[in-house]
């Protein structure tokens, strides 16, 4: 397999020589003279290399590469302006591309080596790593499948690759691939049974396994339990991994030859060690364990705070609606008698699906942690208690209150995401609960401390009887956040909905402001035919949510959601104003409306279309009774329309266009997550602004990445340099995977003047500048004492980045540029070298100007 790309520095010796021989030495305006900086960095994003990839097609070799965010300086009718690009095959220039970041070489061959070099003001200022062509429009990233296993109940299981994320874990400007492995007995939280362990691997693009995290027996496997947060949280230019852990979680680091370099369990908290917990503990419940658990719960009934306060029945007989019989506190024998009645009579009478004698495999006790791992090695950096804790097995959460009794269900519904809460640096967001009690906590990581930003919760949902009540749709007991209950979805989004430059957390039908305050909780009036016509009700829970600038004719963003509350929900689907939560349009369905999607699937219709019950325009006009798929969308086409990924279970995944039909059949691959049919990841991982589809091969021997090879004349910076999109990619794997959306309107009828030109702080850019300088020194274009001075200065800036002090790094780079400008002799700094160094340094310092 040809690698996606090989490590290379931004400006090679050959690139510099080409710049000199071309005679293009007029320096771009942005690269002339020293820069001034305020010391206040812009929003932090990933420093990426050119991302050049090549793919063999029937028409030749297709090339695709990145325009980086800081390189964009303006717009045209078809795209952004800024850097242009010279394309080289085997060192010979083929073309200068100005209107896009792709090129088709009709005479290309599989063995040819391609590079692209950015051109600014006629000067080549960098060069990509060389790329040779894939055999087709995909490349395989080899995976190492975990060994099969057997549950305590004697059931065998095997593994398949599941969701994935990306992050630059080693600071080389290239993304690594973080892959979650699920056993074939993974469960929804409502399903009974043991599961195998969950594993999380980190791979280089060539399939080198850097490390594997075994979450252990005390983290149940399934989409709702484990989400991967991968991002550079501390701003050192290298991504970390944050994940929920427990005693028994172990990280293994590998050598380049695949042998084990080191392995260790996570560090248990001091209080847990004092209480006798160890990494050898197994908190999984057998059916006998659960029976004993319920006996103990009933024995402690009179001591429960809700019983003591009078909010719950004083006796279990009263709760079950049977004659009083026992003395309280209950003896063990009487508690056992009531447990038998509860499991064998009361529960089955509530629902034929209630078989509590078979309840096993759940984890309802033991410590729960949140751990930060170093992205490159898997080394544990910090472990803290997961907040909030489970409290109980779901009794207070309403898991026993409905007709369908599901211990361990609502209590173990987890969400996670990344958000730029301060408009500058990524924070980690972890949540527990969304049907009844709802809790959300945000953290920052500075390389040493995992510091809480805010921690909010709805409070408990009041119940008069925990064994027979309807806890949904009620305000929680918290006077400020009580209306968060029942509003959460199986995902969340981070988006700047109020235009203040800081991202909010869209938590389904409610939104938390960047400071953690409740921005709004959306409701509507129940229509005729509903459960309570005329009454106000929450929009409520749903499975699919999309936050974007959907209607460019309206200011701000919109939120499109579907709802499963049936006759208790005002809408089956709704379009809301993202800033206020006001419903713009929607339809009542009276049933669980489970799937919905948005996308520019019809370029003749203004705005982005939406569909759940038929298809509507962005403004709510009915377009079609039939709809495209709802599994996952992808920006695949040259014309900036949206395509849909279809196929679930054992079906072959496809990419389909609503107007043109099938564009891709991903033979011998599979999607994930059962009927949801979601790829491992859809994101702008390499190449131009279009998204790649990552799916597992049918045997999970590789993660296969497909790229579009349609030649486009649209030029846009990598979507990963849009903060909403970067945050959404980080949370895409959360529970029911949802597409990632940009902060700006992105569709076939977009106005490119509306694309923000952000001066982002890219921590790895200082290391990239250092590599440029090293190449220039090696080539002799920077020499003498000047070389030593410039090298020492940029190294000092790099140390400031590693220390988490970007402002200090900026001040050091100001000295670098000033010193560079003072060097007049071409024997010390060649004209082309001066331009390249000034341009790259200036792009960094742009992030620090007002």
């Amino acid at each position: 397999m040809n690698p996606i790309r090989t490590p290379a520095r931004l400006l090679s010796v050959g690139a510099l020589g080409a710049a000199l021989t071309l005679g293009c030495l007029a320096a771009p305006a942005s690269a002339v003279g020293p820069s001034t900086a305020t010391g206040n960095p812009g929003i932090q994003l990933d420093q990426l290399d050119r991302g050049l990839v090549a793919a063999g097609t029937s028409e030749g070799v297709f090339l695709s590469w990145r325009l980086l965010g800081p390189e964009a300086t303006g717009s045209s009718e078809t795209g952004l302006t800024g850097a242009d690009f010279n394309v080289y095959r085997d060192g010979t220039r083929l073309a200068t591309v100005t209107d896009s970041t792709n090129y088709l070489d009709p005479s290309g061959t599989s063995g040819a080596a391609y590079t692209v070099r950015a051109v600014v003001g006629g000067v080549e200022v960098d060069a990509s790593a060389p790329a040779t062509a894939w055999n087709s429009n995909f490349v395989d990233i080899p995976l190492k499948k975990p060994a099969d296993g057997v549950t305590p109940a004697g059931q065998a299981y095997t593994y398949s690759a599941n969701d994935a994320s990306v992050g630059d874990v080693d600071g080389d400007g290239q993304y690594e691939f973080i892959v979650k492995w699920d056993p074939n007995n993974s469960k929804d939280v409502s399903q009974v049974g043991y599961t195998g362990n969950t594993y999380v691997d980190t791979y280089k693009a060539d399939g080198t396994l850097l490390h594997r995290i075994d979450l252990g027996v005390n983290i149940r496997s399934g989409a709702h339990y484990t989400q991967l947060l991968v991002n550079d949280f501390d701003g050192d230019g290298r991504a970390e991994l944050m994940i929920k852990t427990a005693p028994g979680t172990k990280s293994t680091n590998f050598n380049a030859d695949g042998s084990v370099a080191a392995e260790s369990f996570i560090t248990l908290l001091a209080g847990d060690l004092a209480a006798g917990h160890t990494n050898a503990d197994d908190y999984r419940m057998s059916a006998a364990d659960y029976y004993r658990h319920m006996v103990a719960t009933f024995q402690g009934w009179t001591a429960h705070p809700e019983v003591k306060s009078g909010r719950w029945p004083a006796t279990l007989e009263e709760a079950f609606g049977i004659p009083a019989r026992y003395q309280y506190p209950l003896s063990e024998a009487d508690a056992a008698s009531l447990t038998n009645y509860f499991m064998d009579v009361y529960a089955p009478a509530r629902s034929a699906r209630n078989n509590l004698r078979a309840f096993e495999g759940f984890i309802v006790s033991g410590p729960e942690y949140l751990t930060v791992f170093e992205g490159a090695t898997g080394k544990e950096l910090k472990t803290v208690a997961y907040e909030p804790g489970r409290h109980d097995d779901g009794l207070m959460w309403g898991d026993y209150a409905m007709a369908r009794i599901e211990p361990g269900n609502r209590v173990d519904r987890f969400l996670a995401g990344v958000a730029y809460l301060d408009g500058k640096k990524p924070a980690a967001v972890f949540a527990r609960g969304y049907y009844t009690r709802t809790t959300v906590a945000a953290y920052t990581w500075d390389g040493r401390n995992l510091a809480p930003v805010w921690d909010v919760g709805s409070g408990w949902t009041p119940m008069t009887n925990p064994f027979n009540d309807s806890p949904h749709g009620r305000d929680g007991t918290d006077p400020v956040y009580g209306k968060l209950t029942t509003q959460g979805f199986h995902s969340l989004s981070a988006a700047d909905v109020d235009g203040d430059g800081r991202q909010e957390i869209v938590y389904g039908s409610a939104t938390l402001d960047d400071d953690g305050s409740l921005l709004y909780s959306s409701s509507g009036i129940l229509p005729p035919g509903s459960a309570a016509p005329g009454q106000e009700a929450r929009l409520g829970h749903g499975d699919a949510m999309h936050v974007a600038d959907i209607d460019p004719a309206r200011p701000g963003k919109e939120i499109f959601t579907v709802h499963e509350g049936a006759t208790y929900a005002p809408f089956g689907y709704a379009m809301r104003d993202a800033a206020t939560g006001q419903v713009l349009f929607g339809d009542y369905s009276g049933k669980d409306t489970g799937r919905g999607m948005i996308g520019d699937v019809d370029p003749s219709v203004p705005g982005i279309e939406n569909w759940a019950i038929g298809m509507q325009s962005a403004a709510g006009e009915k377009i079609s009774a039939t709809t495209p798929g709802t599994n996952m969308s992808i920006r695949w086409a040259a014309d900036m329309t949206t395509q849909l990924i279809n196929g679930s279970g054992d079906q072959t995944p496809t990419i389909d266009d609503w107007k043109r039909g099938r564009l891709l059949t991903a033979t011998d691959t599979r999607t994930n997550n059962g009927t949801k049919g979601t790829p491992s990841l859809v994101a702008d991982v390499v190449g131009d602004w279009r998204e790649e589809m990552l799916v597992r091969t049918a045997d999970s021997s590789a993660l296969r990445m497909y790229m579009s090879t349609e030649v486009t004349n649209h030029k846009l910076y990598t979507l990963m340099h849009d903060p909403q999109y970067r945050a959404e990619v980080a949370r895409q794997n959360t529970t029911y995977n949802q597409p990632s959306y940009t902060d700006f309107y992105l569709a076939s009828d977009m106005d490119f003047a509306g694309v923000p030109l952000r001066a982002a702080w890219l921590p790895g850019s200082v290391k990239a500048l250092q590599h440029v300088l090293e190449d220039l020194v090696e080539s002799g274009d920077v020499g003498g004492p000047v070389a030593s001075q410039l090298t020492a200065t940029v190294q000092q800036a790099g140390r400031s980045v590693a220390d988490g002090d970007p402002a200090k790094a900026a001040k050091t780079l100001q000295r670098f540029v000033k010193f560079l400008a003072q060097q007049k002799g071409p024997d010390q700094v060649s004209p082309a070298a001066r331009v390249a160094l000034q341009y790259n340094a200036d792009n960094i310092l742009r992030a620090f100007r007002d």
Side-chain angles (χ1 to χ4, degrees):
M1 182 196 79
N2 289 322
I4 295 176
R5 50 194 182 278
T6 56
R9 294 169 178 175
L10 286 177
L11 189 68
S12 68
V13 176
L16 180 62
L20 288 168
T21 57
L22 287 171
C24 302
L25 299 181
S30 63
V32 175
S35 303
T36 58
T38 65
N40 298 314
I43 193 166
Q44 178 190 305
L45 294 167
D46 300 335
Q47 165 66 25
L48 300 172
D49 68 8
R50 192 58 66 195
L52 174 66
V53 285
T57 74
S58 59
E59 299 173 331
V61 174
F62 174 82
L63 306 175
S64 183
W65 63 91
R66 295 183 180 112
L67 175 72
L68 305 176
E71 296 177 312
T73 57
S75 63
S76 68
E77 289 187 0
T78 60
L80 298 181
T81 58
D84 298 326
F85 297 93
N86 287 338
V87 179
Y88 290 82
R89 184 210 309 139
D90 294 329
T92 300
R93 186 161 66 99
L94 299 179
T96 299
V97 178
T98 62
D99 65 348
S100 70
T101 51
N102 62 183
Y103 179 76
L104 181 65
D105 178 14
S107 302
T109 61
S110 60
Y114 292 90
T115 57
V116 295
R117 300 170 185 171
V119 181
V120 179
V123 179
E124 289 185 347
V125 294
D126 69 8
S128 74
T132 55
W134 306 342
N135 293 328
S136 184
N137 64 338
F138 67 83
V139 67
D140 280 351
I141 301 154
L143 303 177
K144 294 178 173 59
K145 184 186 293 189
D148 299 346
V150 179
T151 70
Q155 301 158 334
Y157 58 88
T158 186
Y159 282 91
S160 295
N162 193 258
D163 294 336
S165 192
V166 291
D168 181 6
V169 304
D170 53 11
D172 64 356
Q174 304 174 28
Y175 280 130
E176 280 70 49
F177 300 85
I178 297 83
V179 180
K180 179 165 76 88
W181 291 95
D182 268 10
N184 62 353
N185 60 359
S186 65
K187 306 291 184 185
D188 183 271
V189 279
S190 64
Q191 296 173 337
V192 171
Y194 290 98
T195 73
N197 294 11
T198 298
Y199 296 92
V200 179
D201 288 356
T202 297
Y203 295 90
K204 299 287 287 185
D206 63 2
T208 299
L209 176 59
L210 298 180
H211 59 85
R212 168 169 289 171
I213 297 170
D214 175 1
L215 291 181
V217 299
N218 296 313
I219 297 287
R220 208 163 181 249
S221 292
H224 297 276
Y225 296 101
T226 294
Q227 288 96 40
L228 320 172
L229 289 194
V230 182
N231 213 288
D232 178 12
F233 291 101
D234 60 2
D236 67 352
R238 303 183 300 272
E240 295 81 39
L241 166 65
M242 287 196 203
I243 198 167
K244 184 176 182 286
T245 60
T249 295
K250 182 176 69 173
S251 178
T252 303
N253 175 245
F254 296 94
N255 294 311
D257 63 1
S259 61
V260 173
E263 60 182 359
S264 61
F265 290 101
I266 60 169
T267 304
L268 306 191
L269 300 187
D272 294 329
L273 286 170
H277 295 286
T278 74
N279 275 305
D281 292 349
D282 186 342
Y283 307 118
R284 293 174 296 179
M285 274 194 167
S286 66
D289 291 333
Y290 179 66
Y291 178 84
R292 288 189 290 270
H293 166 74
M294 290 308 301
V295 171
T297 298
F298 286 179
Q299 275 192 280
W301 184 254
T302 53
H304 196 288
E306 294 294 292
V307 176
K308 292 174 69 174
S309 69
R311 289 186 289 268
W312 286 2
T315 68
L316 287 161
E317 296 97 311
E318 183 183 350
F320 298 149
I322 58 177
R325 178 179 175 183
Y326 301 102
Q327 296 292 319
Y328 286 80
L330 292 170
S331 66
E332 183 175 355
D334 288 347
S337 178
L338 271 170
T339 300
N340 293 333
Y341 174 82
F342 171 66
M343 288 186 168
D344 298 333
V345 180
Y346 182 79
R350 295 275 286 156
S351 170
R353 297 173 61 192
N354 290 336
N355 180 14
L356 298 182
R357 292 285 185 183
F359 185 84
E360 66 179 6
F362 285 78
I363 298 134
V364 300
S365 64
E368 299 176 287
Y369 299 136
L370 174 61
T371 300
V372 185
F373 294 98
E374 187 172 67
T377 66
K379 175 186 176 183
E380 176 196 12
L381 298 176
K382 188 75 172 182
T383 294
V384 299
Y386 191 92
E387 297 293 346
R390 62 174 63 88
H391 184 79
D392 60 21
D393 65 343
L395 187 67
M396 286 285 289
W397 298 79
D399 283 339
Y400 290 78
M402 309 293 286
R404 180 76 170 97
I405 297 173
E406 300 172 315
N409 184 358
R410 290 157 185 81
V411 61
D412 268 3
R413 297 281 180 167
F414 299 100
L415 300 176
V418 168
Y420 292 90
L421 297 173
D422 63 356
K424 297 292 184 181
K425 294 189 69 173
V429 178
F430 289 90
R432 185 179 212 138
Y434 37 77
Y435 291 129
T436 54
R437 185 190 182 196
T438 299
T439 60
V440 189
Y443 300 85
T444 57
W445 169 251
D446 65 2
R448 295 172 296 276
N449 300 304
L450 194 58
V453 181
W454 42 255
D455 184 352
V456 303
S458 65
W460 297 108
T461 302
M463 292 181 289
T464 58
N465 183 348
F467 296 103
N468 190 353
D469 205 345
S470 179
H472 298 161
R474 295 177 181 170
D475 287 0
T477 54
D478 188 274
V480 176
Y481 296 97
K483 292 192 179 299
L484 272 176
T485 61
T486 323
Q487 296 284 55
F489 278 41
H490 296 295
S491 187
L492 53 76
S493 283
D496 179 10
V497 302
D498 55 11
D500 64 358
R502 299 182 294 272
Q503 290 182 340
E504 283 70 48
I505 304 300
V506 181
Y507 205 76
S509 296
T511 295
L512 293 169
D513 209 344
D514 54 81
D515 62 359
S517 61
L518 181 62
L519 193 61
Y520 58 77
S521 183
S522 296
S523 61
I525 303 300
L526 290 169
S530 66
Q535 287 189 13
E536 184 177 2
R538 288 167 166 77
L539 296 192
H541 168 75
D543 287 357
M545 178 178 72
H546 311 275
V547 184
D549 188 354
I550 298 171
D551 185 355
R554 294 186 69 258
K557 297 182 176 71
E558 292 77 35
I559 303 171
F560 180 74
T561 49
V562 299
H563 301 274
E564 67 175 27
T567 59
Y568 292 90
F571 301 97
Y573 74 86
M575 183 76 75
R576 286 180 286 151
D577 181 290
T580 66
Q582 177 186 0
V583 175
L584 304 173
F585 63 84
D587 274 343
Y588 172 75
S589 66
K591 61 181 181 180
D592 177 349
T593 305
R595 309 296 290 270
M597 183 63 71
I598 67 170
D600 181 18
V601 296
D602 188 344
S604 68
V605 178
I608 295 175
E609 294 77 65
N610 58 89
W611 57 94
I613 306 170
M615 184 190 295
Q616 295 75 229
S617 72
E621 178 185 358
K622 295 292 182 181
I623 299 174
S624 172
T626 58
T627 62
T630 54
N631 290 358
M632 180 62 70
S633 66
I634 186 169
R635 297 169 185 87
W636 184 262
D639 63 359
M640 309 193 88
T641 55
T642 308
Q643 286 64 50
L644 283 307
I645 297 171
N646 295 311
S648 61
D650 288 330
Q651 298 172 335
T652 297
T654 61
I655 296 178
D656 300 301
D657 187 282
W658 181 239
K659 294 295 184 181
R660 293 185 290 160
R662 186 141 299 167
L663 302 183
L664 174 76
T665 300
T667 306
D668 295 328
T669 70
R670 295 292 183 269
T671 56
N672 301 324
N673 304 317
T675 59
K676 301 304 178 188
T678 50
S680 294
L681 182 68
V682 173
D684 181 10
V685 178
V686 294
D688 63 25
W689 51 268
R690 286 173 295 183
E691 294 176 307
E692 283 67 55
M693 178 178 75
L694 283 74
V695 286
R696 60 185 171 95
T697 55
D699 61 359
S700 285
S701 63
L703 189 64
R704 182 166 294 174
M705 181 166 64
Y706 287 88
M707 64 177 281
S708 173
T709 57
E710 286 186 1
V711 177
T712 178
N713 68 337
H714 293 297
K715 188 174 183 177
L716 187 64
Y717 54 68
T718 172
L719 301 187
M720 289 299 220
H721 279 171
D722 177 85
Q724 178 173 334
Y725 186 86
R726 184 63 187 95
E728 298 254 79
V729 167
R731 73 94 185 98
Q732 189 181 122
N733 67 84
T734 293
T735 311
Y736 291 176
N737 306 28
Q738 299 293 290
S740 305
Y741 298 101
T742 56
D743 190 51
F744 55 88
Y745 178 71
L746 177 55
S748 61
D749 59 346
M750 68 183 293
D751 179 359
F752 287 90
V755 178
L757 303 179
R758 293 186 179 86
W761 163 235
L762 313 177
S765 59
V766 175
K767 180 187 287 186
L769 174 62
Q770 182 177 343
H771 289 165
V772 171
L773 177 60
E774 289 170 354
D775 279 347
L776 293 170
V777 171
E778 182 180 343
S779 69
D781 288 281
V782 177
V786 174
S788 298
Q789 180 64 39
L790 291 175
T791 298
T793 305
V794 77
Q795 287 175 345
Q796 182 181 351
R799 288 192 292 271
S800 296
V801 172
D803 292 339
D805 193 346
K808 187 175 180 180
K811 291 178 181 178
T812 304
L813 287 179
Q814 283 181 292
R815 296 199 303 272
F816 176 93
V817 173
K818 183 177 180 180
F819 182 77
L820 180 66
Q822 293 171 347
Q823 309 310 308
K824 303 301 183 184
D827 58 329
Q828 293 183 317
V829 181
S830 72
R834 188 185 312 278
V835 170
L837 291 172
Q838 285 182 328
Y839 175 77
N840 283 282
D842 193 66
N843 271 344
I844 298 172
L845 290 172
R846 282 177 55 200
F848 295 85
R849 300 185 193 131
D850 286 330

